[in-house]
Amino acid sequence: MTDHEGSSRGVVSTKAAEGAGGRVSADFRRQLEGYGLTTAHILYRMPDHPGILQSFLWQHYDLCPHFPELKRFLDFWARELEGPLHSVRVAHARLIGPAELRRVDSEFRVN
């Protein structure tokens, strides 16, 4: 089976990644689209004690450098939660990089 679809980063057959159920995980597909694992260390002030900082760790797949998922989460935080944000430190890692992708020309199955 040949897979000729892909982006400028390379052509990848998701058939090799399919499990027994015949499906590729949504997280794997997002990684192929350029998403990487983003971790945000959020410091916020306690609503009742503004002199005390509390720590919160957020982790999600997101696109670097604009981080739309993180921005959406921080907008939600500012709009819905009482603890005002003090600072946010962000770390990001692409789990699948261009050097790890190879073109798949065919697939052979042996019973």
Side-chain angles (χ1 to χ4, degrees), residues 20-77:
R23 297 189 180 178
V24 177
S25 76
D27 289 339
F28 182 73
R29 287 187 188 274
R30 291 187 90 177
Q31 290 175 42
L32 291 177
E33 294 168 1
Y35 282 75
L37 188 61
T38 301
T39 303
H41 181 233
I42 301 168
L43 289 178
Y44 64 97
R45 298 192 182 278
M46 298 290 291
D48 296 341
H49 304 283
I52 299 175
L53 293 176
Q54 185 76 4
S55 177
F56 180 81
L57 197 63
W58 177 88
Q59 211 170 40
H60 204 278
Y61 287 105
D62 209 349
L63 288 169
C64 182
H66 301 292
F67 301 109
E69 300 292 332
L70 177 58
K71 287 181 181 177
R72 192 170 308 134
F73 176 74
L74 294 176
D75 288 343
F76 164 79
W77 184 299

Side-chain angles (χ1 to χ4, degrees), residues 4-12 32-34 94 97-99 101-103:
H4 293 288
E5 297 178 10
S7 67
S8 61
R9 289 186 297 274
V11 178
V12 175
L32 291 177
E33 294 168 1
R94 285 198 59 194
L101 301 179
R102 292 186 313 202
R103 182 166 196 246

